[in-house]
Amino acid sequence: MFFESLKILGFGCLRTEIIFSPDKLNLAIADNEAGKSTLISSLLAAFYGTVEDERMTRDKRPHRKNFLPWTDPENFGLVLDFTADDIHWRIERDFHKGSINLIDLDSGDDHIAEYHRGRGIYYIGEGLIGLSCDEFLKSFYLKQEEILDIRDAKGLTPYVQQVATTQEGGATSENAIERLRQALRHYPFPGSRDGLTIENAIKRLGSEREGVLTDMD
């Protein structure tokens, strides 16, 4: 499964559009309270919806009251494009009106009725990608291409056990810190024209910082 784009019409502090790179590690870097956790919650809300009352569920679905847009609360929704099983999908959610569509972008058909479980409940994440909300959240450090492998293994725990018992292991058993280390070593610094890696860019910025501090002294 690969995320392609996310257009947030209004979700907490966010109104933005994000284009994902399925062949790269996508990092969200911002100041505290800039909306990184809100971004994750918006992805959860796309697949699993929101809950009105936190006492109604023990899973990690976002609580509606915590993510009402700070301004223009009627524009409370998002559009997520992604690929799963070689099909291009679009989830359209209007949390203000309570409407939802699941569109096959290749055919134009809306499949949301297949995931309706009554009284405004739609099991998109569970039905389409085979993960509960909690499992989906725990899998955020994995490669996007591994998500459907979890579904085929009947859950995150059996999949991790399956990888852990193989002779060679695999990328899934690595933790998020190791993935970031790989990114530092291999990915180019945004905007660099000389192939400067993130790791070397950080070292260069550190040297420049030390120079500035020395001049200030």
Side-chain angles (χ1 to χ4, degrees):
M1 187 182 81
F2 299 98
F3 295 145
E4 297 172 1
S5 66
L6 173 65
K7 183 176 183 180
I8 299 178
L9 307 175
F11 197 88
C13 63
L14 296 179
R15 293 186 192 278
T16 188
E17 185 167 4
I18 300 170
I19 305 299
F20 296 93
S21 297
D23 58 339
K24 297 180 179 179
L25 180 66
N26 294 272
L27 300 177
I29 302 174
D31 294 335
N32 289 339
E33 305 301 327
K36 299 186 295 297
S37 297
T38 301
L39 173 60
I40 292 175
S41 293
S42 72
L43 291 169
L44 292 177
F47 286 104
Y48 301 96
T50 62
V51 293
E52 296 283 351
D53 189 339
E54 60 189 49
R55 294 172 296 180
M56 294 172 57
T57 179
R58 294 182 179 179
D59 64 28
K60 301 298 184 181
R61 279 182 290 167
H63 301 148
R64 176 187 174 88
K65 65 180 181 180
N66 295 337
F67 296 100
L68 287 170
W70 291 6
T71 60
D72 195 10
E74 292 187 358
N75 279 326
F76 183 17
L78 52 81
V79 178
L80 174 65
D81 287 0
F82 64 100
T83 298
D85 291 327
D86 297 322
I87 298 175
H88 299 286
W89 296 99
R90 171 172 293 167
I91 296 175
E92 300 174 339
R93 280 195 183 263
D94 186 328
F95 299 109
H96 177 69
K97 296 180 179 179
S99 63
I100 176 172
N101 300 304
L102 176 63
I103 300 171
D104 177 343
L105 294 177
D106 298 317
S107 67
D109 296 332
D110 189 347
H111 291 261
I112 193 59
E114 300 172 22
Y115 301 91
H116 187 211
R117 297 297 181 269
R119 300 200 317 180
I121 299 175
Y122 297 88
Y123 276 19
I124 298 178
E126 294 88 343
L128 190 61
I129 60 178
L131 298 178
S132 69
C133 181
D134 289 356
E135 288 180 321
F136 185 66
L137 181 60
K138 292 175 182 177
S139 70
F140 265 35
Y141 75 91
L142 302 178
K143 295 179 180 179
Q144 292 193 49
E145 65 195 33
E146 295 173 308
I147 297 297
L148 295 185
D149 293 337
I150 300 173
R151 178 196 62 187
D152 295 339
K154 308 301 182 184
L156 180 62
T157 299
Y159 181 55
V160 173
Q161 290 174 337
Q162 176 180 304
V163 172
T165 55
T166 61
Q167 184 172 359
E168 298 180 357
T172 305
S173 60
E174 299 170 358
N175 58 35
I177 298 300
E178 180 57 30
R179 289 205 183 276
L180 291 175
R181 287 178 180 145
Q182 292 178 16
L184 292 175
R185 290 193 294 267
H186 300 296
Y187 288 119
F189 186 75
S192 66
R193 298 181 179 180
D194 55 356
L196 183 68
T197 65
I198 295 176
E199 183 178 47
N200 289 332
I202 291 175
K203 291 179 180 178
R204 180 182 295 181
L205 290 172
S207 298
E208 293 175 0
R209 174 180 177 275
E210 292 300 322
V212 171
L213 291 175
T214 299
D215 293 341
M216 291 176 64
D217 291 338

